[in-house]
Amino acid sequence: MLKQTLAQTTTGRLSTISTKVKKINRHCYSGKTIKQSNEIIHVRIRPSDNRSINDHSNIPSTNRNITTSGYLFENFQSKNELSTIYNNDRDYNRKQRIITNRYLSISSKVAPHKNLIIKNHSHLKTNELSSDQYNLTKDHHKKPEKNTKKKSRTYRCFIIFSLVSILLIAITIAIVLPILLLKSETTTTKTASLRWNTTGITVAGISGVGGRANNQLNTPYDAVVDYSYTLYVVDQGNNRVQKYMRNNSVGTTIAGLENGTAGSSSNQLNSPANVLVDFNGNLYITDILNNRVQYWPNGSSTGTTIAGNATGVAGNSNNLLYSPYGMARDLNTGTLYIADYDNHRIMSYASGASSGVVVAGGNGSGLNNTQLYNPIGLHFDSLSNSLLIANYGSNTVVRWVLGDSNWTLLAGDSNGLSGNTSTLLRNPRDVTLDPMGNMYILDRSNHRVQLYMAGESVGKTIAGVSGIYGNDPNLLNTPRSVELDSQLNLYISDRSNHRIQKFVRY
């Protein structure tokens, strides 16, 4: 009965389709069906027309391919042809992956749908399915074979990707972490190390007592320290410059007269303001009331006029000065920059020149960024090739790049407003930089020294008490200058207290 059903399947066109294909390793007969001991593949085939299951007419004369729901079979003309193909399948199996030793049984009705192909054998031993010849395209009931090679390749790619990702993360951490730690350490060091004892130590003069003795000062105006910690003090009220060896409170007169007599001769000074010391111990002194700058060689008792008029004549021409105060010097070229206070300009004197050149200001006093207003303090910044200028009359500190025609504001109010807040100044007298680019401003009428970290416009009081004057060790009284030694200790000329105060950094 089963053989007849299969024969009909290959020779006729059936109309009703409800096919179950069972794939088994061995079979047994139970009625019209073959039972199986392995997995079952169910296949549904939809008919192309309404022909009866027993209608065998119109068998096509040529082979054709049709698709069942899940299998593509080949339609042959006769049972003999099917048998012939099967007998040749033993060798054909190796090439076309024909599933051997399987049994195909048809339970109930089988309809050769359009393009249906079934290979048959008389004893049903192998109704075999070939995925190449029969084009098995879809079986939603059968679990597909796992593509182990593809999964293995995917797994290897995943492992490689994971290892590369971990390696990249490790390299990033190794590079970035030290930089962040170094930056944090540098920032911490900068902030933590820039601290000073708020109680000053008197290193020259007697606090609150002015005089002419060698251990006394009279309204000192400036103080500088050289590489050997030798202290040089402009003793303005005594018209002289005093030299203090390290840890010595008794000074020696090295410029001007020891008795303090003022004058305009080459061995005299008249209200000196600032002093510069070169590597050889030679002095450059601004002599305010003589309207000149004196060069005083180391060990000499007389000075030579290198800027302004030797006899004390004031003027606004390029070879004259009018109340020179602050100075700065380019160590590479020897060029001297002078704050020409009452001419509201900065003059540049090349080494050996008898006449200067205006490099900043010179447009009258005012608040415009092309003007200066009583420039008094000066610092040359070689890194930016610029001058830092303390504008006494406009309560500002500005930067003027050499060659430019205007300044940029560094501290204070651009409109000239004065005050004692952290952003305002009142009559700034001096300005200097440390090696890190931090700025120190002597805020005269607020009796304090303000620290501005590099790039910031808000100051912090590091010496004195804002707005309060006195002669206590922690107070200042109308100070005039601020200087740093190689350890960044502060030296402040505390003018009205007739002393030089040192504030130790710790």
mmCIF file of all heavy atoms in Angstrom, residues 361-406:
data_model
loop_
_atom_site.group_PDB
_atom_site.id
_atom_site.type_symbol
_atom_site.label_atom_id
_atom_site.label_comp_id
_atom_site.label_asym_id
_atom_site.label_seq_id
_atom_site.Cartn_x
_atom_site.Cartn_y
_atom_site.Cartn_z
ATOM 1 N N GLY A 361 53.616 104.910 26.293
ATOM 2 C CA GLY A 361 53.072 106.196 26.729
ATOM 3 C C GLY A 361 53.563 107.333 25.847
ATOM 4 O O GLY A 361 53.740 107.181 24.641
ATOM 5 N N GLY A 362 53.777 108.489 26.518
ATOM 6 C CA GLY A 362 54.219 109.667 25.784
ATOM 7 C C GLY A 362 53.092 110.445 25.153
ATOM 8 O O GLY A 362 53.326 111.371 24.372
ATOM 9 N N ASN A 363 51.857 110.083 25.482
ATOM 10 C CA ASN A 363 50.685 110.763 24.923
ATOM 11 C C ASN A 363 49.940 111.567 25.992
ATOM 12 O O ASN A 363 48.719 111.746 25.908
ATOM 13 C CB ASN A 363 49.735 109.739 24.293
ATOM 14 C CG ASN A 363 50.386 108.956 23.179
ATOM 15 O OD1 ASN A 363 50.974 109.543 22.269
ATOM 16 N ND2 ASN A 363 50.317 107.629 23.254
ATOM 17 N N GLY A 364 50.694 112.028 26.990
ATOM 18 C CA GLY A 364 50.069 112.749 28.095
ATOM 19 C C GLY A 364 49.478 111.780 29.104
ATOM 20 O O GLY A 364 49.381 110.570 28.863
ATOM 21 N N SER A 365 49.082 112.298 30.254
ATOM 22 C CA SER A 365 48.492 111.449 31.288
ATOM 23 C C SER A 365 47.030 111.157 30.954
ATOM 24 O O SER A 365 46.339 111.980 30.352
ATOM 25 C CB SER A 365 48.579 112.137 32.648
ATOM 26 O OG SER A 365 47.817 113.336 32.647
ATOM 27 N N GLY A 366 46.589 109.966 31.328
ATOM 28 C CA GLY A 366 45.199 109.603 31.071
ATOM 29 C C GLY A 366 44.951 108.123 31.293
ATOM 30 O O GLY A 366 45.861 107.359 31.622
ATOM 31 N N LEU A 367 43.680 107.752 31.091
ATOM 32 C CA LEU A 367 43.254 106.371 31.322
ATOM 33 C C LEU A 367 43.117 105.570 30.034
ATOM 34 O O LEU A 367 42.832 104.370 30.071
ATOM 35 C CB LEU A 367 41.913 106.359 32.069
ATOM 36 C CG LEU A 367 41.905 107.074 33.429
ATOM 37 C CD1 LEU A 367 40.496 107.053 34.025
ATOM 38 C CD2 LEU A 367 42.892 106.425 34.389
ATOM 39 N N ASN A 368 43.307 106.233 28.899
ATOM 40 C CA ASN A 368 43.239 105.529 27.625
ATOM 41 C C ASN A 368 44.351 104.490 27.534
ATOM 42 O O ASN A 368 45.422 104.664 28.116
ATOM 43 C CB ASN A 368 43.355 106.544 26.473
ATOM 44 C CG ASN A 368 43.040 105.922 25.137
ATOM 45 O OD1 ASN A 368 43.865 105.217 24.566
ATOM 46 N ND2 ASN A 368 41.846 106.176 24.635
ATOM 47 N N ASN A 369 44.099 103.400 26.789
ATOM 48 C CA ASN A 369 45.115 102.333 26.743
ATOM 49 C C ASN A 369 46.348 102.692 25.927
ATOM 50 O O ASN A 369 47.260 101.885 25.790
ATOM 51 C CB ASN A 369 44.509 101.030 26.246
ATOM 52 C CG ASN A 369 44.035 101.097 24.808
ATOM 53 O OD1 ASN A 369 44.096 102.153 24.172
ATOM 54 N ND2 ASN A 369 43.562 99.976 24.293
ATOM 55 N N THR A 370 46.386 103.891 25.405
ATOM 56 C CA THR A 370 47.609 104.379 24.754
ATOM 57 C C THR A 370 48.362 105.365 25.650
ATOM 58 O O THR A 370 49.397 105.895 25.248
ATOM 59 C CB THR A 370 47.275 105.081 23.424
ATOM 60 O OG1 THR A 370 46.443 106.223 23.684
ATOM 61 C CG2 THR A 370 46.576 104.130 22.471
ATOM 62 N N GLN A 371 47.816 105.563 26.851
ATOM 63 C CA GLN A 371 48.399 106.536 27.779
ATOM 64 C C GLN A 371 48.848 105.872 29.066
ATOM 65 O O GLN A 371 48.382 104.792 29.436
ATOM 66 C CB GLN A 371 47.367 107.619 28.118
ATOM 67 C CG GLN A 371 46.926 108.470 26.943
ATOM 68 C CD GLN A 371 45.834 109.447 27.341
ATOM 69 O OE1 GLN A 371 44.785 109.051 27.856
ATOM 70 N NE2 GLN A 371 46.083 110.735 27.099
ATOM 71 N N LEU A 372 49.751 106.537 29.753
ATOM 72 C CA LEU A 372 50.157 106.160 31.098
ATOM 73 C C LEU A 372 49.855 107.332 32.038
ATOM 74 O O LEU A 372 49.730 108.484 31.590
ATOM 75 C CB LEU A 372 51.649 105.820 31.132
ATOM 76 C CG LEU A 372 52.088 104.622 30.270
ATOM 77 C CD1 LEU A 372 53.613 104.478 30.303
ATOM 78 C CD2 LEU A 372 51.409 103.336 30.727
ATOM 79 N N TYR A 373 49.738 107.000 33.312
ATOM 80 C CA TYR A 373 49.406 108.031 34.295
ATOM 81 C C TYR A 373 50.367 107.885 35.484
ATOM 82 O O TYR A 373 50.177 107.048 36.331
ATOM 83 C CB TYR A 373 47.953 107.870 34.756
ATOM 84 C CG TYR A 373 47.350 109.077 35.428
ATOM 85 C CD1 TYR A 373 45.977 109.241 35.495
ATOM 86 C CD2 TYR A 373 48.147 110.057 36.018
ATOM 87 C CE1 TYR A 373 45.404 110.335 36.110
ATOM 88 C CE2 TYR A 373 47.594 111.156 36.640
ATOM 89 C CZ TYR A 373 46.228 111.292 36.672
ATOM 90 O OH TYR A 373 45.676 112.399 37.295
ATOM 91 N N ASN A 374 51.409 108.708 35.463
ATOM 92 C CA ASN A 374 52.459 108.645 36.491
ATOM 93 C C ASN A 374 53.014 107.229 36.655
ATOM 94 O O ASN A 374 52.898 106.611 37.727
ATOM 95 C CB ASN A 374 51.943 109.144 37.838
ATOM 96 C CG ASN A 374 51.567 110.617 37.815
ATOM 97 O OD1 ASN A 374 50.485 111.000 38.259
ATOM 98 N ND2 ASN A 374 52.463 111.458 37.309
ATOM 99 N N PRO A 375 53.620 106.695 35.591
ATOM 100 C CA PRO A 375 54.263 105.371 35.728
ATOM 101 C C PRO A 375 55.400 105.467 36.730
ATOM 102 O O PRO A 375 56.225 106.374 36.664
ATOM 103 C CB PRO A 375 54.764 105.082 34.319
ATOM 104 C CG PRO A 375 54.959 106.437 33.706
ATOM 105 C CD PRO A 375 53.875 107.296 34.273
ATOM 106 N N ILE A 376 55.437 104.495 37.651
ATOM 107 C CA ILE A 376 56.409 104.600 38.744
ATOM 108 C C ILE A 376 57.197 103.318 38.970
ATOM 109 O O ILE A 376 58.385 103.354 39.263
ATOM 110 C CB ILE A 376 55.689 105.051 40.035
ATOM 111 C CG1 ILE A 376 56.696 105.486 41.103
ATOM 112 C CG2 ILE A 376 54.741 103.960 40.553
ATOM 113 C CD1 ILE A 376 56.054 106.210 42.289
ATOM 114 N N GLY A 377 56.534 102.163 38.843
ATOM 115 C CA GLY A 377 57.207 100.870 38.998
ATOM 116 C C GLY A 377 57.363 100.191 37.654
ATOM 117 O O GLY A 377 56.505 100.324 36.770
ATOM 118 N N LEU A 378 58.449 99.437 37.483
ATOM 119 C CA LEU A 378 58.738 98.864 36.169
ATOM 120 C C LEU A 378 59.403 97.496 36.317
ATOM 121 O O LEU A 378 60.255 97.297 37.187
ATOM 122 C CB LEU A 378 59.665 99.813 35.413
ATOM 123 C CG LEU A 378 59.719 99.726 33.880
ATOM 124 C CD1 LEU A 378 58.342 99.941 33.270
ATOM 125 C CD2 LEU A 378 60.707 100.762 33.361
ATOM 126 N N HIS A 379 58.979 96.566 35.445
ATOM 127 C CA HIS A 379 59.610 95.237 35.403
ATOM 128 C C HIS A 379 59.658 94.777 33.950
ATOM 129 O O HIS A 379 58.656 94.844 33.235
ATOM 130 C CB HIS A 379 58.833 94.230 36.242
ATOM 131 C CG HIS A 379 59.407 92.845 36.192
ATOM 132 N ND1 HIS A 379 60.448 92.444 37.009
ATOM 133 C CD2 HIS A 379 59.101 91.774 35.411
ATOM 134 C CE1 HIS A 379 60.749 91.185 36.740
ATOM 135 N NE2 HIS A 379 59.954 90.754 35.779
ATOM 136 N N PHE A 380 60.845 94.315 33.524
ATOM 137 C CA PHE A 380 60.998 93.807 32.161
ATOM 138 C C PHE A 380 60.818 92.293 32.162
ATOM 139 O O PHE A 380 61.523 91.562 32.858
ATOM 140 C CB PHE A 380 62.371 94.170 31.599
ATOM 141 C CG PHE A 380 62.649 93.567 30.250
ATOM 142 C CD1 PHE A 380 61.925 93.967 29.138
ATOM 143 C CD2 PHE A 380 63.624 92.585 30.095
ATOM 144 C CE1 PHE A 380 62.178 93.410 27.884
ATOM 145 C CE2 PHE A 380 63.877 92.032 28.860
ATOM 146 C CZ PHE A 380 63.148 92.444 27.749
ATOM 147 N N ASP A 381 59.859 91.823 31.355
ATOM 148 C CA ASP A 381 59.597 90.387 31.212
ATOM 149 C C ASP A 381 60.208 89.916 29.899
ATOM 150 O O ASP A 381 59.653 90.152 28.818
ATOM 151 C CB ASP A 381 58.088 90.130 31.236
ATOM 152 C CG ASP A 381 57.755 88.646 31.106
ATOM 153 O OD1 ASP A 381 58.661 87.815 31.307
ATOM 154 O OD2 ASP A 381 56.585 88.329 30.805
ATOM 155 N N SER A 382 61.342 89.259 29.992
ATOM 156 C CA SER A 382 62.059 88.849 28.783
ATOM 157 C C SER A 382 61.311 87.770 28.001
ATOM 158 O O SER A 382 61.458 87.675 26.784
ATOM 159 C CB SER A 382 63.455 88.338 29.154
ATOM 160 O OG SER A 382 63.369 87.236 30.043
ATOM 161 N N LEU A 383 60.500 86.959 28.677
ATOM 162 C CA LEU A 383 59.782 85.885 27.991
ATOM 163 C C LEU A 383 58.753 86.425 27.010
ATOM 164 O O LEU A 383 58.544 85.849 25.941
ATOM 165 C CB LEU A 383 59.102 84.966 29.020
ATOM 166 C CG LEU A 383 60.038 84.149 29.908
ATOM 167 C CD1 LEU A 383 59.241 83.327 30.900
ATOM 168 C CD2 LEU A 383 60.939 83.253 29.068
ATOM 169 N N SER A 384 58.095 87.503 27.366
ATOM 170 C CA SER A 384 57.083 88.088 26.475
ATOM 171 C C SER A 384 57.572 89.366 25.822
ATOM 172 O O SER A 384 56.810 90.006 25.083
ATOM 173 C CB SER A 384 55.794 88.362 27.261
ATOM 174 O OG SER A 384 56.041 89.276 28.320
ATOM 175 N N ASN A 385 58.820 89.740 26.100
ATOM 176 C CA ASN A 385 59.396 90.979 25.560
ATOM 177 C C ASN A 385 58.467 92.168 25.832
ATOM 178 O O ASN A 385 58.113 92.935 24.944
ATOM 179 C CB ASN A 385 59.654 90.852 24.063
ATOM 180 C CG ASN A 385 60.551 91.956 23.540
ATOM 181 O OD1 ASN A 385 61.490 92.374 24.207
ATOM 182 N ND2 ASN A 385 60.274 92.453 22.337
ATOM 183 N N SER A 386 58.085 92.271 27.082
ATOM 184 C CA SER A 386 57.136 93.309 27.461
ATOM 185 C C SER A 386 57.547 93.956 28.782
ATOM 186 O O SER A 386 58.385 93.430 29.525
ATOM 187 C CB SER A 386 55.725 92.731 27.590
ATOM 188 O OG SER A 386 55.666 91.794 28.654
ATOM 189 N N LEU A 387 56.916 95.078 29.062
ATOM 190 C CA LEU A 387 57.138 95.801 30.316
ATOM 191 C C LEU A 387 55.877 95.746 31.169
ATOM 192 O O LEU A 387 54.768 95.957 30.667
ATOM 193 C CB LEU A 387 57.501 97.260 30.030
ATOM 194 C CG LEU A 387 58.824 97.501 29.299
ATOM 195 C CD1 LEU A 387 58.920 98.965 28.860
ATOM 196 C CD2 LEU A 387 60.018 97.129 30.173
ATOM 197 N N LEU A 388 56.060 95.438 32.450
ATOM 198 C CA LEU A 388 54.977 95.555 33.418
ATOM 199 C C LEU A 388 55.134 96.898 34.105
ATOM 200 O O LEU A 388 56.208 97.195 34.645
ATOM 201 C CB LEU A 388 55.031 94.419 34.440
ATOM 202 C CG LEU A 388 54.346 93.104 34.034
ATOM 203 C CD1 LEU A 388 55.036 92.465 32.842
ATOM 204 C CD2 LEU A 388 54.309 92.121 35.204
ATOM 205 N N ILE A 389 54.074 97.681 34.068
ATOM 206 C CA ILE A 389 54.154 99.065 34.524
ATOM 207 C C ILE A 389 53.134 99.317 35.626
ATOM 208 O O ILE A 389 51.938 99.038 35.453
ATOM 209 C CB ILE A 389 53.882 100.038 33.352
ATOM 210 C CG1 ILE A 389 54.830 99.744 32.186
ATOM 211 C CG2 ILE A 389 54.015 101.487 33.802
ATOM 212 C CD1 ILE A 389 54.446 100.445 30.888
ATOM 213 N N ALA A 390 53.616 99.817 36.758
ATOM 214 C CA ALA A 390 52.719 100.245 37.838
ATOM 215 C C ALA A 390 52.331 101.693 37.576
ATOM 216 O O ALA A 390 53.167 102.592 37.646
ATOM 217 C CB ALA A 390 53.405 100.099 39.190
ATOM 218 N N ASN A 391 51.053 101.886 37.253
ATOM 219 C CA ASN A 391 50.514 103.216 36.982
ATOM 220 C C ASN A 391 50.016 103.819 38.293
ATOM 221 O O ASN A 391 48.887 103.567 38.721
ATOM 222 C CB ASN A 391 49.348 103.119 35.983
ATOM 223 C CG ASN A 391 49.748 103.532 34.589
ATOM 224 O OD1 ASN A 391 50.647 104.344 34.395
ATOM 225 N ND2 ASN A 391 49.079 102.968 33.599
ATOM 226 N N TYR A 392 50.843 104.626 38.888
ATOM 227 C CA TYR A 392 50.535 105.179 40.208
ATOM 228 C C TYR A 392 49.254 106.021 40.175
ATOM 229 O O TYR A 392 48.417 105.941 41.067
ATOM 230 C CB TYR A 392 51.711 106.039 40.673
ATOM 231 C CG TYR A 392 51.643 106.533 42.101
ATOM 232 C CD1 TYR A 392 52.089 105.742 43.147
ATOM 233 C CD2 TYR A 392 51.165 107.812 42.397
ATOM 234 C CE1 TYR A 392 52.053 106.200 44.456
ATOM 235 C CE2 TYR A 392 51.129 108.280 43.692
ATOM 236 C CZ TYR A 392 51.568 107.476 44.735
ATOM 237 O OH TYR A 392 51.533 107.940 46.026
ATOM 238 N N GLY A 393 49.096 106.857 39.133
ATOM 239 C CA GLY A 393 47.955 107.774 39.080
ATOM 240 C C GLY A 393 46.646 107.125 38.686
ATOM 241 O O GLY A 393 45.572 107.638 39.032
ATOM 242 N N SER A 394 46.669 105.996 37.972
ATOM 243 C CA SER A 394 45.425 105.348 37.536
ATOM 244 C C SER A 394 45.098 104.091 38.316
ATOM 245 O O SER A 394 44.132 103.393 37.999
ATOM 246 C CB SER A 394 45.500 105.015 36.044
ATOM 247 O OG SER A 394 46.539 104.079 35.798
ATOM 248 N N ASN A 395 45.908 103.797 39.355
ATOM 249 C CA ASN A 395 45.654 102.645 40.241
ATOM 250 C C ASN A 395 45.590 101.317 39.472
ATOM 251 O O ASN A 395 44.763 100.459 39.760
ATOM 252 C CB ASN A 395 44.341 102.849 41.012
ATOM 253 C CG ASN A 395 44.331 104.146 41.798
ATOM 254 O OD1 ASN A 395 45.148 104.358 42.699
ATOM 255 N ND2 ASN A 395 43.401 105.039 41.452
ATOM 256 N N THR A 396 46.488 101.177 38.509
ATOM 257 C CA THR A 396 46.507 99.954 37.695
ATOM 258 C C THR A 396 47.932 99.455 37.501
ATOM 259 O O THR A 396 48.901 100.185 37.674
ATOM 260 C CB THR A 396 45.893 100.206 36.302
ATOM 261 O OG1 THR A 396 46.646 101.226 35.635
ATOM 262 C CG2 THR A 396 44.427 100.610 36.400
ATOM 263 N N VAL A 397 48.003 98.186 37.114
ATOM 264 C CA VAL A 397 49.248 97.600 36.619
ATOM 265 C C VAL A 397 48.936 97.060 35.236
ATOM 266 O O VAL A 397 47.969 96.298 35.055
ATOM 267 C CB VAL A 397 49.774 96.486 37.540
ATOM 268 C CG1 VAL A 397 50.953 95.777 36.895
ATOM 269 C CG2 VAL A 397 50.173 97.057 38.891
ATOM 270 N N VAL A 398 49.740 97.455 34.248
ATOM 271 C CA VAL A 398 49.467 97.074 32.864
ATOM 272 C C VAL A 398 50.689 96.416 32.240
ATOM 273 O O VAL A 398 51.807 96.555 32.739
ATOM 274 C CB VAL A 398 49.055 98.313 32.030
ATOM 275 C CG1 VAL A 398 47.794 98.960 32.604
ATOM 276 C CG2 VAL A 398 50.196 99.325 31.945
ATOM 277 N N ARG A 399 50.428 95.707 31.146
ATOM 278 C CA ARG A 399 51.506 95.111 30.358
ATOM 279 C C ARG A 399 51.586 95.826 29.007
ATOM 280 O O ARG A 399 50.578 95.955 28.305
ATOM 281 C CB ARG A 399 51.284 93.625 30.132
ATOM 282 C CG ARG A 399 52.421 92.948 29.345
ATOM 283 C CD ARG A 399 52.059 91.519 28.929
ATOM 284 N NE ARG A 399 51.889 90.651 30.064
ATOM 285 C CZ ARG A 399 52.872 90.018 30.694
ATOM 286 N NH1 ARG A 399 54.124 90.173 30.274
ATOM 287 N NH2 ARG A 399 52.617 89.234 31.728
ATOM 288 N N TRP A 400 52.794 96.243 28.669
ATOM 289 C CA TRP A 400 53.000 96.904 27.375
ATOM 290 C C TRP A 400 54.061 96.127 26.610
ATOM 291 O O TRP A 400 55.240 96.134 26.962
ATOM 292 C CB TRP A 400 53.459 98.348 27.586
ATOM 293 C CG TRP A 400 53.263 99.218 26.370
ATOM 294 C CD1 TRP A 400 53.752 99.005 25.123
ATOM 295 C CD2 TRP A 400 52.523 100.443 26.304
ATOM 296 N NE1 TRP A 400 53.372 100.009 24.274
ATOM 297 C CE2 TRP A 400 52.613 100.914 24.965
ATOM 298 C CE3 TRP A 400 51.812 101.199 27.236
ATOM 299 C CZ2 TRP A 400 52.006 102.103 24.560
ATOM 300 C CZ3 TRP A 400 51.208 102.374 26.822
ATOM 301 C CH2 TRP A 400 51.302 102.820 25.491
ATOM 302 N N VAL A 401 53.631 95.436 25.575
ATOM 303 C CA VAL A 401 54.558 94.670 24.750
ATOM 304 C C VAL A 401 55.376 95.649 23.916
ATOM 305 O O VAL A 401 54.819 96.553 23.279
ATOM 306 C CB VAL A 401 53.809 93.682 23.840
ATOM 307 C CG1 VAL A 401 54.787 92.938 22.926
ATOM 308 C CG2 VAL A 401 53.009 92.690 24.681
ATOM 309 N N LEU A 402 56.672 95.465 23.938
ATOM 310 C CA LEU A 402 57.540 96.379 23.187
ATOM 311 C C LEU A 402 57.219 96.312 21.702
ATOM 312 O O LEU A 402 57.140 95.219 21.117
ATOM 313 C CB LEU A 402 59.002 96.029 23.437
ATOM 314 C CG LEU A 402 59.484 96.250 24.878
ATOM 315 C CD1 LEU A 402 60.911 95.755 25.048
ATOM 316 C CD2 LEU A 402 59.384 97.722 25.264
ATOM 317 N N GLY A 403 57.008 97.470 21.119
ATOM 318 C CA GLY A 403 56.616 97.533 19.720
ATOM 319 C C GLY A 403 55.139 97.797 19.531
ATOM 320 O O GLY A 403 54.720 98.229 18.448
ATOM 321 N N ASP A 404 54.329 97.539 20.569
ATOM 322 C CA ASP A 404 52.896 97.816 20.487
ATOM 323 C C ASP A 404 52.624 99.283 20.808
ATOM 324 O O ASP A 404 53.469 99.988 21.380
ATOM 325 C CB ASP A 404 52.112 96.929 21.450
ATOM 326 C CG ASP A 404 52.012 95.495 20.958
ATOM 327 O OD1 ASP A 404 52.536 95.219 19.853
ATOM 328 O OD2 ASP A 404 51.428 94.650 21.666
ATOM 329 N N SER A 405 51.414 99.711 20.491
ATOM 330 C CA SER A 405 51.036 101.107 20.746
ATOM 331 C C SER A 405 50.050 101.249 21.890
ATOM 332 O O SER A 405 49.532 102.341 22.135
ATOM 333 C CB SER A 405 50.430 101.727 19.479
ATOM 334 O OG SER A 405 49.293 100.988 19.064
ATOM 335 N N ASN A 406 49.783 100.158 22.599
ATOM 336 C CA ASN A 406 48.830 100.227 23.709
ATOM 337 C C ASN A 406 49.126 99.126 24.728
ATOM 338 O O ASN A 406 49.888 98.201 24.468
ATOM 339 C CB ASN A 406 47.391 100.102 23.197
ATOM 340 C CG ASN A 406 47.160 98.812 22.437
ATOM 341 O OD1 ASN A 406 47.455 98.734 21.236
ATOM 342 N ND2 ASN A 406 46.667 97.800 23.124
#
